[in-house]
């Protein structure tokens, strides 16, 4: 699966392995955020949610990723989790959805090295 992001060939976080976690960023070190990792990048899920990236996942409750933990996400139906993973794959796949790829402002805000 090719990505428009630079993902090292031997990365543990290729598009085939989309993890979920919580991280703090230097700009807001006391505000943990729900994230995923793609290659050597950390992706802010709240900003993707705010941009409408997950609107087509009707079972996903609103503002799930605006929390400082993954608890609300994990409380969603287990059928939602692979849908979110697939949506992330679609967003970062080379020939996928261009929501982020065509939006430099969203890239700068949501993708952290």
């Amino acid at each position: 699966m090719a990505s428009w992001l630079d993902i090292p060939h031997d990365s543990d976080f290729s598009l085939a392995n989309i993890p979920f976690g919580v991280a703090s960023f230097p700009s807001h070190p006391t505000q943990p955020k729900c994230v995923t990792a793609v290659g050597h990048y950390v992706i802010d899920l709240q900003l993707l949610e705010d941009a409408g990236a997950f609107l087509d996942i009707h079972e996903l409750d609103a503002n799930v990723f605006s929390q400082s933990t993954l608890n609300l996400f994990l409380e969603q139906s287990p059928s939602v989790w692979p849908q979110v993973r697939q949506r992330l794959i679609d967003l970062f796949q080379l020939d996928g959805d261009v929501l982020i790829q065509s939006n430099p402002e969203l890239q700068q805000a949501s993708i952290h090295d």
Side-chain angles (χ1 to χ4, degrees):
M1 239 180 286
S3 174
W4 54 269
L5 280 177
D6 180 28
I7 301 175
H9 177 70
D10 61 349
S11 175
D12 290 333
F13 303 116
S14 68
L15 292 181
N17 181 25
I18 303 287
F20 295 101
V22 175
S24 296
F25 300 108
S27 58
H28 297 92
T30 60
Q31 292 180 307
K33 311 240 340 180
C34 294
V35 299
T36 190
V38 177
H40 60 268
Y41 300 101
V42 176
I43 315 296
D44 185 327
L45 293 173
Q46 178 185 355
L47 293 178
L48 298 187
E49 183 178 34
D50 291 347
F54 306 114
L55 287 176
D56 60 335
I57 304 173
H58 303 291
E59 297 174 33
L60 183 67
D61 290 343
N63 301 313
V64 163
F65 296 120
S66 65
Q67 311 300 308
S68 61
T69 69
L70 287 168
N71 293 355
L72 287 179
F73 177 62
L74 295 175
E75 291 173 3
Q76 303 296 294
S77 166
S79 67
V80 168
W81 307 336
Q83 292 179 64
V84 172
R85 276 196 174 87
Q86 185 59 54
R87 181 66 179 130
L88 291 167
I89 291 167
D90 293 343
L91 289 168
F92 292 103
Q93 204 168 346
L94 187 58
D95 296 323
D97 188 303
V98 297
L99 175 74
I100 305 168
Q101 187 178 358
S102 66
N103 188 332
E105 293 84 17
L106 182 57
Q107 287 179 34
Q108 184 175 8
S110 64
I111 302 173
H112 304 273
D113 201 5

